[in-house]
């Protein structure tokens, strides 16, 4: 599924302030490698159904074994091994006897200590990797996980590696064996260990996703490779909110366009982003923030939420809005299935001009039946002329005013809002009084 940089930014999949990102919300990785692979998985949604279903199956298996997850391998363990590979250790004898080991220990004390310390961590690491293989040995594995575990077992199938796997008590290892294992790691097994570290990062990334699913109470969606686009969701919510309000959603070929209205702060942007994030997560094989969700495969998600001007190029906010809409129309006019999210169309021009531009664009988008659209606007007036189109649904977020206080229910309602609350917000925040007292 295609999602450009603007869409990833609009949906906060990644964010300059990391704690505000979807990535950070899902990041329960225990190692730097796991964090790296989680970022990779999140940045590369699938284009086909098979890997999505395999990832779902993999994550279900990880959930099943999450509380038995091997704990031998820590980020510190991996860092010790990687640092050893980068160190300038004096040459270790390949087959040290008792005398040779004693000589190396006396003449190269710091390097002997570093080697022994690293071998201890390497034994923990290799035994931990074997535990992964053993933990899933009786399971029917999806190909993604089978490939990883098969490769781990192959890499551990070396005579010295098997010796290290067989260690029960490290205190019983003698000096010649410390050096022999150190020589093996540094001169004969370095590439294999680095590959094992990378494979552990992948497992850690899936562990992170599974942990997020359990802690956040996410649910796996049913996703289908159908010709016509559709989304049906119950109790869908925004994953970044600590106390979110949930929504019911239904979009299909017959009703493929939501015309969304409501006052500022009523919840329009949150709803649009919640839908986009859920659809995006479904396409990486992840569970979603909803009680249930059923959807088609999409070829891409495009958003028009946070448009900015460009002072360097001399481009206005409105010009960039137009360019984003132009590029969106070019991309979605290809017969493929797209989810298009537009928040407050044409904010960069006057009301009358914005109404004319918005009505023109919406009427054009309504002709594209093979994509789904959610569009929010303050321009509720244009809703009347759009009611003649059978494939458009009108939804709004209601706001109640009591004694000049605003109350937002954040509940999605059927119809069109005509709330005009800008002045009331200005007054509530004390700006009117400040101006009067100037």
């Amino acid at each position: 599924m295609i999602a450009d940089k603007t869409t990833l930014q609009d949906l906060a999949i990644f964010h300059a302030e990391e704690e505000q990102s979807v990535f950070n919300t899902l990041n329960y990785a225990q190692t730097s490698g796991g964090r790296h692979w989680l970022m990779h998985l999140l940045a590369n949604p699938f284009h086909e159904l098979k890997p999505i279903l395999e990832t779902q199956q993999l994550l279900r298996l990880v959930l099943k074994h999450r509380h038995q997850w091997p704990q031998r391998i820590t980020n510190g363990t991996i860092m010790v091994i990687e640092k050893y590979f980068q160190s300038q250790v004096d040459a270790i004898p390949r087959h040290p006897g008792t005398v040779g080991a004693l000589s190396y220990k006396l003449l190269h004390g710091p390097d002997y200590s570093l080697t022994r310390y690293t071998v201890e961590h390497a034994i923990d690491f290799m035994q931990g990797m074997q535990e992964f293989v053993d933990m899933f040995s009786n399971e029917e594995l999806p190909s993604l996980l089978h490939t990883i575990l098969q490769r781990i077992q192959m890499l551990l199938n070396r005579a010295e590696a098997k010796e290290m796997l067989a260690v029960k008590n490290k205190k019983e290892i003698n000096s010649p064996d410390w050096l022999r294992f150190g020589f093996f790691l540094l001169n004969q097994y370095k590439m294999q260990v680095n590959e094992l570290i990378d494979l552990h990062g992948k497992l850690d990334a899936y562990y992170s996703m599974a942990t997020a699913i359990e802690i956040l109470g996410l649910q796996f969606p049913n996703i289908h490779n159908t010709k016509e686009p559709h989304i049906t969701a119950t109790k869908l919510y925004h994953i970044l909110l600590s106390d979110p309000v949930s929504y019911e959603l239904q979009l299909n070929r017959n009703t493929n366009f939501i015309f969304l209205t409501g006052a500022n702060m009523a919840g329009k942007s949150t709803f649009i982003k919640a839908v986009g994030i859920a659809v995006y997560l479904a396409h990486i094989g992840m569970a979603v923030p909803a009680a249930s969700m059923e959807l088609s495969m999409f070829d891409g998600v495009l958003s028009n939420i946070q448009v900015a001007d460009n002072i360097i190029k001399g481009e206005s906010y409105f010009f960039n809005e137009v360019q984003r809409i132009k590029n969106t129309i070019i991309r979605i006019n290809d017969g493929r299935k797209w989810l298009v999210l537009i928040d407050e169309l044409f904010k960069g021009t006057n009301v009358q001009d914005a109404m004319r531009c918005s009505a023109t664009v919406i009427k054009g988008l309504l002709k594209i039946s093979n994509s789904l659209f959610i569009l929010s606007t303050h321009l509720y007036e244009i809703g009347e002329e759009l009611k003649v189109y059978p494939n458009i649904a009108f939804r709004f977020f209601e706001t109640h005013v009591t004694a000049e206080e605003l109350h937002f229910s954040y509940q999605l309602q059927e119809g069109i809002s005509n709330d005009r609350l800008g002045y009331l917000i200005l007054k509530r925040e004390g700006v009117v009084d400040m101006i009067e007292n100037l």
Side-chain angles (χ1 to χ4, degrees):
M1 184 182 72
I2 299 168
D4 60 15
K5 290 182 179 180
T6 300
T7 300
L8 294 178
Q9 180 178 330
D10 283 346
L11 300 181
I13 303 300
F14 303 102
H15 198 281
E17 300 292 334
E18 190 173 294
E19 66 275 6
Q20 300 177 29
S21 68
V22 174
F23 166 74
N24 184 68
T25 301
L26 303 181
N27 183 21
Y28 289 89
Q30 299 176 319
T31 64
S32 298
R35 186 179 184 277
H36 164 79
W37 272 106
L38 176 63
M39 187 174 293
H40 174 81
L41 292 171
L42 199 54
N44 293 278
F46 296 113
H47 298 274
E48 297 177 351
L49 183 58
K50 183 180 178 182
I52 292 176
L53 298 179
E54 287 185 347
T55 302
Q56 288 186 357
Q57 184 186 354
L58 188 159
L59 291 174
R60 286 188 173 97
L61 275 178
V62 175
L63 276 166
K64 179 180 177 181
H65 294 280
R66 195 178 80 79
H67 296 286
Q68 293 82 43
W69 202 253
Q71 298 299 315
R72 289 177 183 266
I73 301 173
T74 66
N75 200 53
T77 294
I78 292 173
M79 289 178 65
V80 167
I81 298 170
E82 291 177 332
K83 187 174 181 181
Y84 183 65
F85 289 153
Q86 297 166 6
S87 300
Q88 299 298 317
V89 178
D90 290 341
I92 301 171
R94 183 168 187 172
H95 299 291
T98 303
V99 175
L102 179 60
S103 175
Y104 189 89
K105 187 175 180 180
L106 291 174
L107 298 176
H108 309 278
D111 288 343
Y112 175 85
S113 297
L114 176 60
T115 298
R116 176 170 176 164
Y117 184 64
T118 303
V119 170
E120 288 182 7
H121 283 278
I123 289 171
D124 286 336
F125 173 73
M126 293 163 69
Q127 290 180 346
M129 294 302 284
Q130 184 63 53
E131 288 176 8
F132 284 114
V133 176
D134 296 340
M135 183 171 64
F136 292 106
S137 61
N138 296 320
E139 299 285 1
E140 183 179 343
L141 302 177
S143 62
L144 288 171
L145 184 56
H146 179 265
T147 300
I148 292 173
L149 297 177
Q150 186 180 51
R151 185 58 182 164
I152 290 172
Q153 191 68 81
M154 186 178 299
L155 291 169
L156 293 175
N157 192 29
R158 288 280 299 267
E160 294 88 342
K162 289 181 178 179
E163 285 187 67
M164 296 171 75
L165 289 171
V167 171
K168 296 289 192 293
N169 186 352
K170 296 173 192 169
K171 293 180 180 179
E172 296 178 357
I173 301 176
N174 57 39
S175 295
D177 282 341
W178 285 121
L179 291 175
R180 186 164 59 85
F181 290 147
F183 180 90
F184 169 66
L185 290 174
L186 202 56
N187 298 287
Q188 298 176 319
Y189 203 56
K190 182 177 178 179
M191 289 179 59
Q192 291 88 338
V193 171
N194 282 328
E195 185 178 350
L196 285 168
I197 289 172
D198 188 59
L199 291 170
H200 178 268
K202 292 182 181 180
L203 291 172
D204 193 24
Y206 290 125
Y207 170 84
S208 176
M209 295 167 72
T211 301
I213 290 169
E214 184 171 299
I215 291 175
L216 302 176
L218 308 180
Q219 301 296 322
F220 287 104
N222 293 318
I223 185 164
H224 310 285
N225 198 11
T226 57
K227 291 183 178 180
E228 297 184 355
H230 67 273
I231 304 173
T232 301
T234 62
K235 296 184 178 179
L236 171 71
Y237 61 92
H238 196 300
I239 196 172
L240 298 184
L241 299 182
S242 57
D243 187 25
V245 173
S246 61
Y247 317 103
E248 308 298 306
L249 174 68
Q250 187 165 10
L251 279 167
N252 51 52
R253 191 179 182 92
N254 295 326
T255 305
N256 72 322
F257 199 112
I258 291 179
F259 182 86
L260 185 64
T261 53
N264 283 323
M265 302 187 297
K268 301 189 301 296
S269 298
T270 300
F271 169 70
I272 290 174
K273 293 175 183 179
V275 175
I277 291 169
V279 169
Y280 188 90
L281 291 178
H283 282 73
I284 67 168
M286 184 62 178
V288 300
S292 66
M293 187 174 187
E294 188 164 338
L295 71 159
S296 60
M297 286 284 298
F298 284 88
D299 294 296
V301 176
L302 284 175
S303 68
N304 187 341
I305 297 176
Q306 296 176 352
V307 178
D309 55 8
N310 191 321
I311 297 175
I312 303 300
K313 291 185 177 181
E315 295 172 354
S316 69
Y317 184 96
F318 177 72
F319 178 82
N320 281 328
E321 280 189 299
V322 172
Q323 291 302 308
R324 183 65 176 168
I325 288 296
K326 177 183 176 181
N327 292 333
T328 297
I329 293 172
I330 291 171
R331 298 199 76 170
I332 67 176
N333 192 28
D334 58 4
R336 296 191 292 175
K337 298 190 293 289
W338 293 84
L339 174 65
V340 181
L341 308 169
I342 302 173
D343 190 25
E344 299 296 347
L345 189 59
F346 299 126
K347 292 173 283 190
T349 187
N350 64 74
V351 173
Q352 293 301 320
D353 203 24
M355 287 175 60
R356 183 179 180 184
C357 292
S358 296
T360 300
V361 168
I362 293 171
K363 290 174 182 177
L365 295 178
L366 284 165
K367 299 176 184 178
I368 302 174
S369 60
N370 214 44
S371 292
L372 304 182
F373 302 87
I374 303 177
L375 181 146
S376 75
T377 181
H378 282 102
L379 308 173
Y380 69 89
E381 297 91 343
I382 64 176
E384 287 300 319
E385 62 182 291
L386 298 174
K387 288 182 178 179
V388 298
Y389 294 90
N391 57 320
I392 190 168
F394 298 93
R395 300 290 184 268
F396 74 100
F397 285 101
E398 192 174 30
T399 305
H400 298 285
V401 180
T402 306
E404 295 191 348
E405 287 294 321
L406 299 177
H407 301 278
F408 303 107
S409 69
Y410 304 111
Q411 297 294 328
L412 197 60
Q413 308 284 338
E414 186 172 345
I416 300 175
S417 168
N418 60 0
D419 291 333
R420 290 285 191 245
L421 303 174
Y423 182 81
L424 181 57
I425 294 172
L426 197 72
K427 187 173 182 181
R428 188 189 69 169
E429 295 302 311
V431 177
V432 173
D433 291 338
M434 292 172 62
I435 291 173
E436 290 177 348
N437 293 325
L438 288 177

